[in-house]
Structure formats: C-alpha cells, structure tokens
C-alpha cells in the first residue's frame, strides 16, 4: 500500500470524527458501503448503512441524547491491507481507538 493510499484511508476516519463533532449523521455514514456493519461503543450492532444512519440520527444526536455534546477524536490509528498482494481484491480496514471527549472509556 502506498503512503498516498494510507493517507486517504486515514482521511476517511478523520472525516468521520469531524462529522461526529458536527452531529452530522449523514456525514458519519458517507464512507460506508450499503452493507456496512458497525458496532457502537455501547455494543449496538447495525448491519446496513441505512440502519446505522437511522441509529445515529435517532439515538445518538437527538437534542436529548447522551452524546449530543460529545466530540470524537482518533488518537491512534493503524492501517493495513487484509489481503496484501491481491490487487483489486484486497480490502483495507481501519483499526482505531476513538475517544469521546465526554465519554472516555
């Protein structure tokens, strides 16, 4: 993987952090595939982009929800290919350790 590829993958995570800070549910899912699966910090598991979008809009960022005033940052991120050397079949993933400003774990 080239440095440019790795940097592009890192930017996806940083855009997610920024969307979280804006409480922008649409921005949070812009990098997800339609069949993306996402496990939240509370253990909720969504299995499509649309379900994750609805989860964020309804539960995380509504005016009376617990994460409404939170921000998010990714202080450590490792990027690697799941299948090095497989060209177009290779899939990249982000392994990150996010911290919520008001909800650190």
């Amino acid at each position: 993987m080239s440095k440019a590829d790795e940097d592009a993958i890192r930017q996806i995570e940083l855009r997610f952090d920024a969307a979280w800070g804006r409480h922008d549910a649409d921005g949070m899912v812009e990098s997800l595939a339609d069949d993306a699966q996402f496990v939240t910090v509370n253990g909720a598991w969504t299995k499509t982009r649309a379900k994750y979008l609805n989860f964020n809009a309804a539960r995380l960022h509504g005016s009376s929800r617990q994460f409404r005033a939170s921000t998010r940052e990714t202080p450590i991120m490792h990027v690697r290919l799941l299948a090095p050397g497989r060209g177009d079949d290779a899939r990249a993933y982000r392994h990150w350790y996010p911290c919520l400003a008001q909800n650190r774990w």
Side-chain angles (χ1 to χ4, degrees), residues 4 6-7 10 12 18 26 37 41-42 60 62 64 72-73 76 79-81 87 94:
E6 185 175 331
D7 289 345
R10 289 178 185 281
I12 293 169
D26 290 313
Q37 296 187 29
V41 297
N42 294 327
L60 292 179
S64 63
R72 184 179 185 276
E73 64 179 323
I76 300 170
V79 179
R80 70 179 174 103
L81 290 177
R94 298 168 292 173

Side-chain angles (χ1 to χ4, degrees), residues 30-91:
E30 63 94 20
S31 67
L32 300 180
D34 289 340
D35 63 348
Q37 296 187 29
F38 200 101
V39 180
T40 70
V41 297
N42 294 327
W45 184 6
T46 59
K47 297 182 180 181
T48 68
R49 177 184 178 173
K51 288 181 181 176
Y52 186 61
L53 174 63
N54 291 337
F55 179 86
N56 283 328
R59 294 186 181 92
L60 292 179
H61 298 298
S63 61
S64 63
R65 301 300 175 190
Q66 66 185 7
F67 294 119
R68 181 65 187 157
S70 69
T71 58
R72 184 179 185 276
E73 64 179 323
T74 305
I76 300 170
M77 188 184 333
H78 303 280
V79 179
R80 70 179 174 103
L81 290 177
L82 292 177
R86 293 189 57 204
D88 292 339
D89 292 336
R91 300 290 183 257

